[in-house]
Amino acid sequence: MASPGNRQRTYDAIAALLRVSELVERRRRQLARSAGLSDQQWRVLEEIHTEDFMPSLFARNRETSPAAISRTLRQLQERGLVRAAISTADARQRTYALTARGRRAIERLHAARENALEAIWDPFPAAEIDTFVAFATGLANRLEAYAAEVESSGSASARV
């Protein structure tokens, strides 16, 4: 068991992590709004832009409903950012691609994100970023393993 001082240090670290997480999400929403999108619309556009997009898999990975993703896709199509076509591999499936307008929206978002990275991240020494990446990766791996353990055992532990 951790000493009271170490436990407080852990609580302080969790509080800092939550603050960073909330601020990253706030910044994502700001970036999305600057392009006239919701955060969800941006996430879908990014996914379509970067790889073979499968709405059902995207919904599962984001722990959201397929209906919500369908709604977002419809909104993006209505705005002329995405087009859908019947899959040549399986006529029951649709393939999605960005339109020229959708690609321009992604380019604007990427440019705005680069500006923010230059202002926020670039001033940090590379060694500090490397240390942060190593710690965050290790923490994420432990959280993921612990969450899987809790889910498989059916335990509803409140520990973080």
Side-chain angles (χ1 to χ4, degrees), residues 1-23:
M1 174 145 259
S3 70
N6 283 340
R7 182 61 71 219
Q8 186 57 50
R9 183 178 294 118
T10 301
Y11 289 142
D12 292 346
I14 291 168
L17 179 62
L18 289 172
R19 182 172 177 229
V20 167
S21 177
E22 290 165 359
L23 289 167

Side-chain angles (χ1 to χ4, degrees), residues 125-137:
E128 285 186 33
I129 293 175
D130 292 343
T131 299
F132 174 77
V133 169
F135 177 79
T137 300

Side-chain angles (χ1 to χ4, degrees), residues 30-37 79 105 108-109:
Q30 288 174 343
L31 283 168
R33 273 195 314 269
S34 75
L37 300 168
R79 296 185 56 194
R108 282 191 310 274
L109 284 163

Side-chain angles (χ1 to χ4, degrees), residues 12-154:
D12 292 346
I14 291 168
L17 179 62
L18 289 172
R19 182 172 177 229
V20 167
S21 177
E22 290 165 359
L23 289 167
V24 166
E25 287 304 312
R26 177 180 173 188
R27 186 65 192 128
R28 269 194 72 81
R29 288 189 304 273
Q30 288 174 343
L31 283 168
R33 273 195 314 269
S34 75
L37 300 168
S38 69
D39 185 47
Q40 178 76 350
Q41 289 170 333
W42 180 15
R43 289 177 193 272
V44 171
L45 277 181
E46 281 284 352
E47 191 75 13
I48 292 169
H49 175 68
T50 58
E51 57 187 75
D52 294 329
F53 176 70
M54 294 179 59
S56 58
L57 183 60
F58 182 80
R60 191 174 318 122
N61 290 341
R62 295 287 190 268
E63 296 182 2
T64 190
S65 72
I69 300 305
S70 292
R71 215 173 15 259
T72 301
L73 284 166
R74 197 168 37 258
Q75 293 165 351
L76 294 171
Q77 288 176 69
E78 289 169 358
R79 296 185 56 194
L81 300 170
V82 170
R83 70 174 175 278
I86 296 173
S87 170
T88 56
D90 183 349
R92 297 171 296 172
Q93 300 289 322
R94 289 183 179 255
T95 58
Y96 295 90
L98 297 182
T99 63
R101 188 174 178 188
R103 285 189 297 280
R104 285 191 303 271
I106 287 291
E107 288 167 7
R108 282 191 310 274
L109 284 163
H110 287 177
R113 183 172 55 196
E114 279 301 312
N115 289 338
L117 292 175
E118 287 174 15
I120 299 165
W121 287 88
D122 288 359
F124 283 104
E128 285 186 33
I129 293 175
D130 292 343
T131 299
F132 174 77
V133 169
F135 177 79
T137 300
L139 178 62
N141 290 342
R142 286 175 177 234
L143 283 168
E144 189 173 52
Y146 188 78
E149 180 184 315
V150 168
E151 288 168 357
S152 70
S153 71

